[in-house]
Amino acid sequence: MTQAQAERPDGLLRITTERYGLGVLLVAVVAVFSTLPRTGDLFASHANFTVILGGEVPLCVIAIAFTLPLVVGQLDLSIASIAGMASIAGTAAMSRFDQPLVVAILVAILFGAAAGAFNGFLIAVLGLDCIIVTLAVMTVIAGLVQWYTDGISINTGVSATLTDFGSLSWFGVPRIAFLLVLVVGLVWYVVEKTPFGRHLRMIGSNRTAARLVGIPVVSTTFAVFVLAGALAGAGGMLLTARSGGANPQEGPGLLLAALAAVYLGATTVQPGKFNVAGTVVGVFFLALAVSGLTLAGVPPFVSQLFDGGALLVAVVLSRFLGRNRVGTVGT
Amino acid sequence: MTATTVDPASADAEAPARLRLAGVSKRYASTTALHEVGLTVGRGEIHALLGGNGSGKSTLIKIVAGVERAEPGGSLHQGDQAADLTGWSARAAREAGIRVVHQDIGYFPSLTVADNLAAGHGYPVGAFGNVRDRRWRRHTAEVLARFDVDARPETPMSALRPATRTMVAIGRALQDVDEERSGVLILDEPTTALPRGEVEHLFAALRRCAAAGHAIVFVSHRLSEVLALCENVTVLRDGERITSRATAGLDEHDLAELVAGRRLATASHGREAVADAPSLVAVEGLAAGPLQDVSLRVAAGEVLGIAGLLGSGRSTLLRTLFGDVAPAAGTVRLDGVPVAFRSPRQAVRAGIAYVPEDRGGDALFGSMSLDENLAAVVVGDYWQGGLLRRTRQRRESARLARELGIKTATVTQSPNELSGGNQQKAVLGRWLRTEPRLLLLDNPTQGVDVGAREDIHRLLRDAAGRGTAVVVTSDDYEELAQVCDRVVVLREGRVTGSVAAADLSADRISREIYGERAPR
């Protein structure tokens, strides 16, 4: 006991550094690129921040969808592909079947939820390994999308209301960002402030113990996959809103960026735990850094190096920083 | 008392000590784990090292084994050679013939005894880097013969009985110790994982080992074993040596008080006649896994013990009552109403609580805080006005932790940082706060020090006093005799006997377990 007390100031310092570390880094990135003569004018402009803020909203929603299964200790690699598929399905509903926007949104969310339910059945009910299942599902989805689109984007017949929502601003802030605030608030509330969320954390911490204190582990895990799929479906619709169409390559391409953001996010806000707020900080940290580097004239491949590198750094960090403390990230 | 106290100096004079530790201290940043501790073990002596969790015995073992350094000082004497423990190393310990065998002996189940003997030692190799199998098998046979181990070099480890596996581990540790000088064997809780029947088998082997001249330091929480096996005992408490003396003239109660450093409640409790009370739980003809045709009754306020060896089906019985295992046949009635729980969730809702045997693996949420662990079953109670009330949860958990006697600085730390006894109290407390009608506990005091053990017994009796029906299993018959109102004996999945309050004793229970086999 005395030992723990003696370590307190040290531990508190460490926890504070960890909790705000990524946020401080994010501010530092903004400061550096805003003051560098080469990037300053372009980077620190309202236009650039608007582009980054609006542009990253779909990725944020998809990354949050990634976060949910990770809270119960499951990695769903198919989330980004589900978003891509939902984007195609929702856009096709408008473009090829002349359906109104509301129906298109419902279609996208339903496609996402159905794919999530399929994952959930195989993983939660049958108890199969999440990585193998979602890798297979991801590949199957890629095949279905290719079959349906021939690899060509759907760009016609998209509702103007949707594209306006994706590209215009209210009070100088991208409209789509308001939706992000809503989604983040809602998911954060469910995970952190409801008994259901606490059950998710308990399942992620120790499945057997969760079952033995009376938590319905199978149905809860199943529900998480369905929720994550539905959220990815909504994220897919946001992709269409941003780009004005549905590109079959766009969804799957977000896999690594989302993973990097989620793992980076797990080192901050609630260090050692996958958490929604951390995920959002992670997305914007990566986006701002890549934007700054691009403006500084660094070639585009750097963004891949950066996402991959960030994922590695995040995993290493959570291994060392989170060790021996409440809430260690495990995959 | 004075007659049995050993004067270390005179003991040394009779038989030269194989190992003598003096003034061993260990200080961490702000805590003193060991303060000027000494220990003397002679050739052929079996010496018990006792202490509760946090008493410093693990630290002492680590220092002797060279895994940790003594600080600020300490010395180790063998014959007239003295070594400074501040500069001691694992290698030096090895060269001095000191070997530690841990509770988890670390073996490869699918490999042969010979291969297991080579682990950490290496095989003899020929000119082409090939393993010289025949030579190694011969060496293995020699080691097995030397330590009287009932095994053959080519037998897979998994085919051996548990006590024999421990013996192989001991043989592995001592295989290259110089016979002339003899080894110092430190056994860290070697019997915890052993079924009761295996313990005697291991003890016979240890006595032979000691007779061959090796010095043995035996660490165990089971006081009856210490009294049965060891000639002398050293007790540590809070990093200091409380006493070193002969075990002759001591009984378990004396030892328990030495370890706990306080007066403990005497064994018996006022057993009321609960037999006449109507049964809360009535099990008829239950079959599941190894269980066959099990019938038993438990009354509200009664503590029923389930005694049985590993594989007797005692854990399956508890898990079946908790809805975690589906019964193949039979009925369970709760308050006269037939129930068939299809999941633990339904059992929890019906007021049943279950403390599993493996607390780390099956009960604790290691990555969550203590308050979240304590609130695991009652999360819904903190859902108020659409929000989980964490502050109230922390406050109430802190109060609960105090009531349970959980030693912790804060409820926001992980339960992984607590000692075994405190962890178990947390798991138990999580259920007690729900005031269950039926409380099931699977071996709740294993790996728990005597102080916490008494606390757990008290909590069980208190719960029974409030009308909870308690069903508890244990490897320790002394414990069952102490806590239970009645004990039922399970053998190979069947109820083969029952011991009522008036006849309850450890001896009686073990006779029921090892008694004549029922005719088939």
Side-chain angles (χ1 to χ4, degrees), chain B residues 107-127:
Chain B
Y107 66 97
F108 305 93
S110 61
L111 299 185
T112 65
V113 170
D115 289 330
N116 271 279
L117 223 55
H121 181 279
Y123 294 96
V125 280

PDB file of all heavy atoms in Angstrom, chain B residues 107-127:
ATOM      1  N   TYR B 107       6.002 -28.148 -17.449  1.00  0.00           N
ATOM      2  CA  TYR B 107       6.439 -29.343 -18.162  1.00  0.00           C
ATOM      3  C   TYR B 107       5.754 -29.406 -19.524  1.00  0.00           C
ATOM      4  O   TYR B 107       4.831 -28.654 -19.811  1.00  0.00           O
ATOM      5  CB  TYR B 107       6.143 -30.599 -17.347  1.00  0.00           C
ATOM      6  CG  TYR B 107       4.673 -30.892 -17.146  1.00  0.00           C
ATOM      7  CD1 TYR B 107       4.017 -31.791 -17.979  1.00  0.00           C
ATOM      8  CD2 TYR B 107       3.936 -30.270 -16.148  1.00  0.00           C
ATOM      9  CE1 TYR B 107       2.666 -32.068 -17.815  1.00  0.00           C
ATOM     10  CE2 TYR B 107       2.592 -30.535 -15.977  1.00  0.00           C
ATOM     11  CZ  TYR B 107       1.962 -31.423 -16.818  1.00  0.00           C
ATOM     12  OH  TYR B 107       0.628 -31.694 -16.664  1.00  0.00           O
ATOM     13  N   PHE B 108       6.237 -30.308 -20.364  1.00  0.00           N
ATOM     14  CA  PHE B 108       5.684 -30.477 -21.701  1.00  0.00           C
ATOM     15  C   PHE B 108       4.902 -31.779 -21.715  1.00  0.00           C
ATOM     16  O   PHE B 108       5.490 -32.854 -21.770  1.00  0.00           O
ATOM     17  CB  PHE B 108       6.802 -30.517 -22.739  1.00  0.00           C
ATOM     18  CG  PHE B 108       7.697 -29.314 -22.669  1.00  0.00           C
ATOM     19  CD1 PHE B 108       8.862 -29.325 -21.908  1.00  0.00           C
ATOM     20  CD2 PHE B 108       7.355 -28.154 -23.344  1.00  0.00           C
ATOM     21  CE1 PHE B 108       9.668 -28.200 -21.826  1.00  0.00           C
ATOM     22  CE2 PHE B 108       8.154 -27.031 -23.262  1.00  0.00           C
ATOM     23  CZ  PHE B 108       9.311 -27.054 -22.500  1.00  0.00           C
ATOM     24  N   PRO B 109       3.569 -31.685 -21.654  1.00  0.00           N
ATOM     25  CA  PRO B 109       2.749 -32.886 -21.432  1.00  0.00           C
ATOM     26  C   PRO B 109       2.937 -33.957 -22.510  1.00  0.00           C
ATOM     27  O   PRO B 109       2.937 -35.140 -22.204  1.00  0.00           O
ATOM     28  CB  PRO B 109       1.315 -32.361 -21.458  1.00  0.00           C
ATOM     29  CG  PRO B 109       1.378 -30.906 -21.514  1.00  0.00           C
ATOM     30  CD  PRO B 109       2.765 -30.474 -21.774  1.00  0.00           C
ATOM     31  N   SER B 110       3.108 -33.536 -23.765  1.00  0.00           N
ATOM     32  CA  SER B 110       3.134 -34.540 -24.825  1.00  0.00           C
ATOM     33  C   SER B 110       4.532 -35.126 -25.030  1.00  0.00           C
ATOM     34  O   SER B 110       4.697 -36.087 -25.764  1.00  0.00           O
ATOM     35  CB  SER B 110       2.614 -33.927 -26.126  1.00  0.00           C
ATOM     36  OG  SER B 110       3.463 -32.857 -26.484  1.00  0.00           O
ATOM     37  N   LEU B 111       5.538 -34.533 -24.378  1.00  0.00           N
ATOM     38  CA  LEU B 111       6.895 -35.065 -24.535  1.00  0.00           C
ATOM     39  C   LEU B 111       7.183 -36.119 -23.457  1.00  0.00           C
ATOM     40  O   LEU B 111       6.512 -36.189 -22.435  1.00  0.00           O
ATOM     41  CB  LEU B 111       7.920 -33.939 -24.441  1.00  0.00           C
ATOM     42  CG  LEU B 111       7.792 -32.843 -25.501  1.00  0.00           C
ATOM     43  CD1 LEU B 111       8.949 -31.855 -25.376  1.00  0.00           C
ATOM     44  CD2 LEU B 111       7.768 -33.427 -26.907  1.00  0.00           C
ATOM     45  N   THR B 112       8.213 -36.930 -23.712  1.00  0.00           N
ATOM     46  CA  THR B 112       8.528 -38.000 -22.769  1.00  0.00           C
ATOM     47  C   THR B 112       9.224 -37.451 -21.527  1.00  0.00           C
ATOM     48  O   THR B 112       9.674 -36.308 -21.497  1.00  0.00           O
ATOM     49  CB  THR B 112       9.469 -39.032 -23.420  1.00  0.00           C
ATOM     50  OG1 THR B 112      10.699 -38.358 -23.693  1.00  0.00           O
ATOM     51  CG2 THR B 112       8.881 -39.598 -24.698  1.00  0.00           C
ATOM     52  N   VAL B 113       9.315 -38.323 -20.524  1.00  0.00           N
ATOM     53  CA  VAL B 113      10.021 -37.964 -19.303  1.00  0.00           C
ATOM     54  C   VAL B 113      11.465 -37.568 -19.630  1.00  0.00           C
ATOM     55  O   VAL B 113      11.994 -36.583 -19.125  1.00  0.00           O
ATOM     56  CB  VAL B 113       9.978 -39.139 -18.307  1.00  0.00           C
ATOM     57  CG1 VAL B 113      10.899 -38.878 -17.130  1.00  0.00           C
ATOM     58  CG2 VAL B 113       8.548 -39.360 -17.827  1.00  0.00           C
ATOM     59  N   ALA B 114      12.103 -38.325 -20.520  1.00  0.00           N
ATOM     60  CA  ALA B 114      13.491 -38.043 -20.882  1.00  0.00           C
ATOM     61  C   ALA B 114      13.612 -36.650 -21.508  1.00  0.00           C
ATOM     62  O   ALA B 114      14.507 -35.877 -21.159  1.00  0.00           O
ATOM     63  CB  ALA B 114      14.014 -39.102 -21.853  1.00  0.00           C
ATOM     64  N   ASP B 115      12.693 -36.326 -22.414  1.00  0.00           N
ATOM     65  CA  ASP B 115      12.732 -35.012 -23.052  1.00  0.00           C
ATOM     66  C   ASP B 115      12.489 -33.906 -22.030  1.00  0.00           C
ATOM     67  O   ASP B 115      13.082 -32.833 -22.097  1.00  0.00           O
ATOM     68  CB  ASP B 115      11.675 -34.921 -24.163  1.00  0.00           C
ATOM     69  CG  ASP B 115      12.042 -35.775 -25.364  1.00  0.00           C
ATOM     70  OD1 ASP B 115      13.258 -35.947 -25.594  1.00  0.00           O
ATOM     71  OD2 ASP B 115      11.135 -36.271 -26.037  1.00  0.00           O
ATOM     72  N   ASN B 116      11.584 -34.177 -21.088  1.00  0.00           N
ATOM     73  CA  ASN B 116      11.311 -33.179 -20.061  1.00  0.00           C
ATOM     74  C   ASN B 116      12.518 -32.951 -19.157  1.00  0.00           C
ATOM     75  O   ASN B 116      12.754 -31.850 -18.681  1.00  0.00           O
ATOM     76  CB  ASN B 116      10.098 -33.587 -19.230  1.00  0.00           C
ATOM     77  CG  ASN B 116       8.807 -33.078 -19.839  1.00  0.00           C
ATOM     78  OD1 ASN B 116       8.449 -31.933 -19.660  1.00  0.00           O
ATOM     79  ND2 ASN B 116       8.154 -33.928 -20.620  1.00  0.00           N
ATOM     80  N   LEU B 117      13.279 -34.019 -18.943  1.00  0.00           N
ATOM     81  CA  LEU B 117      14.468 -33.900 -18.106  1.00  0.00           C
ATOM     82  C   LEU B 117      15.521 -33.035 -18.802  1.00  0.00           C
ATOM     83  O   LEU B 117      16.349 -32.394 -18.168  1.00  0.00           O
ATOM     84  CB  LEU B 117      15.030 -35.300 -17.833  1.00  0.00           C
ATOM     85  CG  LEU B 117      15.489 -35.582 -16.403  1.00  0.00           C
ATOM     86  CD1 LEU B 117      14.382 -35.300 -15.425  1.00  0.00           C
ATOM     87  CD2 LEU B 117      15.958 -37.023 -16.275  1.00  0.00           C
ATOM     88  N   ALA B 118      15.473 -33.040 -20.137  1.00  0.00           N
ATOM     89  CA  ALA B 118      16.470 -32.282 -20.893  1.00  0.00           C
ATOM     90  C   ALA B 118      16.119 -30.801 -20.978  1.00  0.00           C
ATOM     91  O   ALA B 118      16.971 -29.977 -21.311  1.00  0.00           O
ATOM     92  CB  ALA B 118      16.598 -32.859 -22.299  1.00  0.00           C
ATOM     93  N   ALA B 119      14.859 -30.474 -20.669  1.00  0.00           N
ATOM     94  CA  ALA B 119      14.442 -29.074 -20.766  1.00  0.00           C
ATOM     95  C   ALA B 119      15.248 -28.232 -19.794  1.00  0.00           C
ATOM     96  O   ALA B 119      15.294 -28.510 -18.606  1.00  0.00           O
ATOM     97  CB  ALA B 119      12.951 -28.955 -20.465  1.00  0.00           C
ATOM     98  N   GLY B 120      15.891 -27.214 -20.290  1.00  0.00           N
ATOM     99  CA  GLY B 120      16.690 -26.342 -19.435  1.00  0.00           C
ATOM    100  C   GLY B 120      18.050 -26.924 -19.109  1.00  0.00           C
ATOM    101  O   GLY B 120      18.833 -26.337 -18.368  1.00  0.00           O
ATOM    102  N   HIS B 121      18.344 -28.080 -19.619  1.00  0.00           N
ATOM    103  CA  HIS B 121      19.599 -28.763 -19.314  1.00  0.00           C
ATOM    104  C   HIS B 121      20.357 -29.024 -20.614  1.00  0.00           C
ATOM    105  O   HIS B 121      21.550 -28.786 -20.707  1.00  0.00           O
ATOM    106  CB  HIS B 121      19.277 -30.078 -18.595  1.00  0.00           C
ATOM    107  CG  HIS B 121      20.487 -30.873 -18.214  1.00  0.00           C
ATOM    108  ND1 HIS B 121      21.143 -31.681 -19.112  1.00  0.00           N
ATOM    109  CD2 HIS B 121      21.149 -30.993 -17.040  1.00  0.00           C
ATOM    110  CE1 HIS B 121      22.175 -32.259 -18.498  1.00  0.00           C
ATOM    111  NE2 HIS B 121      22.193 -31.851 -17.243  1.00  0.00           N
ATOM    112  N   GLY B 122      19.637 -29.479 -21.619  1.00  0.00           N
ATOM    113  CA  GLY B 122      20.257 -29.768 -22.904  1.00  0.00           C
ATOM    114  C   GLY B 122      20.549 -31.248 -23.063  1.00  0.00           C
ATOM    115  O   GLY B 122      20.742 -31.974 -22.079  1.00  0.00           O
ATOM    116  N   TYR B 123      20.556 -31.700 -24.303  1.00  0.00           N
ATOM    117  CA  TYR B 123      20.854 -33.113 -24.590  1.00  0.00           C
ATOM    118  C   TYR B 123      22.350 -33.272 -24.817  1.00  0.00           C
ATOM    119  O   TYR B 123      23.022 -32.342 -25.264  1.00  0.00           O
ATOM    120  CB  TYR B 123      20.162 -33.536 -25.884  1.00  0.00           C
ATOM    121  CG  TYR B 123      18.663 -33.552 -25.845  1.00  0.00           C
ATOM    122  CD1 TYR B 123      17.944 -32.461 -26.312  1.00  0.00           C
ATOM    123  CD2 TYR B 123      17.966 -34.671 -25.396  1.00  0.00           C
ATOM    124  CE1 TYR B 123      16.551 -32.479 -26.309  1.00  0.00           C
ATOM    125  CE2 TYR B 123      16.580 -34.691 -25.399  1.00  0.00           C
ATOM    126  CZ  TYR B 123      15.890 -33.595 -25.857  1.00  0.00           C
ATOM    127  OH  TYR B 123      14.524 -33.610 -25.861  1.00  0.00           O
ATOM    128  N   PRO B 124      22.876 -34.463 -24.604  1.00  0.00           N
ATOM    129  CA  PRO B 124      24.236 -34.737 -25.077  1.00  0.00           C
ATOM    130  C   PRO B 124      24.172 -34.868 -26.595  1.00  0.00           C
ATOM    131  O   PRO B 124      23.237 -35.473 -27.122  1.00  0.00           O
ATOM    132  CB  PRO B 124      24.568 -36.075 -24.416  1.00  0.00           C
ATOM    133  CG  PRO B 124      23.256 -36.716 -24.138  1.00  0.00           C
ATOM    134  CD  PRO B 124      22.254 -35.617 -23.953  1.00  0.00           C
ATOM    135  N   VAL B 125      25.109 -34.247 -27.283  1.00  0.00           N
ATOM    136  CA  VAL B 125      25.065 -34.340 -28.742  1.00  0.00           C
ATOM    137  C   VAL B 125      26.299 -35.032 -29.291  1.00  0.00           C
ATOM    138  O   VAL B 125      27.390 -34.980 -28.707  1.00  0.00           O
ATOM    139  CB  VAL B 125      24.937 -32.951 -29.412  1.00  0.00           C
ATOM    140  CG1 VAL B 125      23.511 -32.475 -29.374  1.00  0.00           C
ATOM    141  CG2 VAL B 125      25.847 -31.959 -28.734  1.00  0.00           C
ATOM    142  N   GLY B 126      26.090 -35.695 -30.438  1.00  0.00           N
ATOM    143  CA  GLY B 126      27.182 -36.398 -31.100  1.00  0.00           C
ATOM    144  C   GLY B 126      27.943 -35.479 -32.024  1.00  0.00           C
ATOM    145  O   GLY B 126      27.739 -34.260 -32.024  1.00  0.00           O
ATOM    146  N   ALA B 127      28.797 -36.060 -32.839  1.00  0.00           N
ATOM    147  CA  ALA B 127      29.700 -35.298 -33.699  1.00  0.00           C
ATOM    148  C   ALA B 127      28.957 -34.470 -34.734  1.00  0.00           C
ATOM    149  O   ALA B 127      29.444 -33.446 -35.190  1.00  0.00           O
ATOM    150  CB  ALA B 127      30.671 -36.239 -34.395  1.00  0.00           C
TER     151      ALA B 127
END
